[in-house]
Amino acid sequence: MIAAPDRTPLSRSFFDRPVQEVAPDLLGRILVRNTEDGPVELRLTEVEAYAGPTDPGSHAYRGRTARNDVMFGPPGHAYVYFTYGMWHCVNLVCGQDGDPGAVLLRAGEVVRGAELARPRRPAARHDRELAKGPARLCTALDIDRALDGADACGPPSAPLRVLTGSPVPADQVRTGPRTGVAGEGGVRPWRYWQADDRTVSPYRAHTPRRRPRA
């Protein structure tokens, strides 16, 4: 008999660890997005770790700014950013207060509230594609910059929460280069995913953006 996922909320101490410890440990956890229309719950299947000043791929590499301020702590909060002028991505802040680090939530399986997620993702051909990629994940769960700084360790009514779920066994965790990250930051094997899970997004190497010819 398969045990039901544990619905105990993750404590702040879970996130108060180095980002490379937290990232693989987030696989199998349940992200809860509470909205006025009802909750959508997502089992995390793919994440990426980003550290601070020593990580060229991190938004915190060049120091603290208004955009990345949430990354500097305290842990357990959401860091939401806007990219390419059209998409949102959500991270969970890790590490000690003042030491920037965050885990990008790249993909997952919608396990509750799919009827709310589907209208937000009309291009998805199957439910397994609802949150297959970080921008799709945010679209399906209605996450935008309004949730930047939201406390994922808050009360049951909080807009974002993370439950214990069913952690993925270590022998089912895979790791490889981060997706779409250039240079030294791109080759670090800080992307983690659940083996053979169909909701995991495809790996794509960084492709330089070309300027249109005059």
Side-chain angles (χ1 to χ4, degrees), residues 62-165:
R62 291 182 172 83
R64 197 167 192 161
T65 66
R67 182 197 193 199
N68 67 21
D69 185 68
V70 175
M71 280 189 73
F72 287 77
H77 288 248
Y79 166 47
V80 183
Y81 63 86
F82 192 54
T83 185
Y84 295 119
M86 63 180 77
W87 307 117
H88 290 92
C89 296
V90 62
N91 305 253
L92 295 173
V93 176
C94 306
Q96 295 184 352
D97 197 352
D99 183 13
V103 177
L104 172 65
L105 308 184
R106 285 200 53 87
E109 175 193 8
V110 176
V111 294
R112 181 184 181 191
E115 71 280 1
L116 299 176
R118 291 183 193 116
R120 301 172 187 149
R121 288 275 298 116
R125 295 166 297 177
H126 308 280
D127 281 1
R128 63 176 177 271
E129 296 181 351
L130 288 173
K132 193 173 187 175
R136 294 173 176 180
L137 184 154
C138 281
T139 301
L141 272 64
D142 191 25
I143 294 174
D144 58 21
R145 284 280 294 171
L147 293 183
D148 186 46
D151 189 355
C153 301
S157 60
L160 281 179
R161 303 178 74 225
V162 187
L163 309 181
T164 298

Side-chain angles (χ1 to χ4, degrees), residues 6-204:
D6 187 341
R7 297 191 64 81
T8 304
L10 292 182
S11 67
R12 199 170 309 282
S13 62
F14 175 92
F15 298 98
D16 191 7
R17 297 181 290 159
V19 68
Q20 287 174 269
E21 291 183 17
V22 177
D25 202 6
L26 276 171
L27 297 176
R29 311 297 186 169
I30 304 295
L31 177 69
V32 180
R33 169 69 171 112
N34 288 313
T35 71
E36 292 182 358
D37 297 324
V40 178
E41 298 187 2
L42 183 87
R43 180 180 64 87
L44 293 169
T45 60
E46 182 188 5
V47 299
E48 280 179 348
Y50 288 87
T54 61
D55 180 3
S58 172
H59 287 179
Y61 181 57
R62 291 182 172 83
R64 197 167 192 161
T65 66
R67 182 197 193 199
N68 67 21
D69 185 68
V70 175
M71 280 189 73
F72 287 77
H77 288 248
Y79 166 47
V80 183
Y81 63 86
F82 192 54
T83 185
Y84 295 119
M86 63 180 77
W87 307 117
H88 290 92
C89 296
V90 62
N91 305 253
L92 295 173
V93 176
C94 306
Q96 295 184 352
D97 197 352
D99 183 13
V103 177
L104 172 65
L105 308 184
R106 285 200 53 87
E109 175 193 8
V110 176
V111 294
R112 181 184 181 191
E115 71 280 1
L116 299 176
R118 291 183 193 116
R120 301 172 187 149
R121 288 275 298 116
R125 295 166 297 177
H126 308 280
D127 281 1
R128 63 176 177 271
E129 296 181 351
L130 288 173
K132 193 173 187 175
R136 294 173 176 180
L137 184 154
C138 281
T139 301
L141 272 64
D142 191 25
I143 294 174
D144 58 21
R145 284 280 294 171
L147 293 183
D148 186 46
D151 189 355
C153 301
S157 60
L160 281 179
R161 303 178 74 225
V162 187
L163 309 181
T164 298
S166 300
V168 174
D171 63 355
Q172 294 182 27
V173 176
R174 300 292 181 265
T175 182
R178 294 184 291 202
T179 297
V181 179
E184 182 187 343
V187 299
R188 297 189 180 191
W190 289 4
R191 172 176 167 251
Y192 304 89
W193 67 93
Q194 182 174 352
D196 302 320
D197 192 287
R198 299 176 75 185
T199 65
V200 173
S201 67
Y203 170 74
R204 293 186 176 90

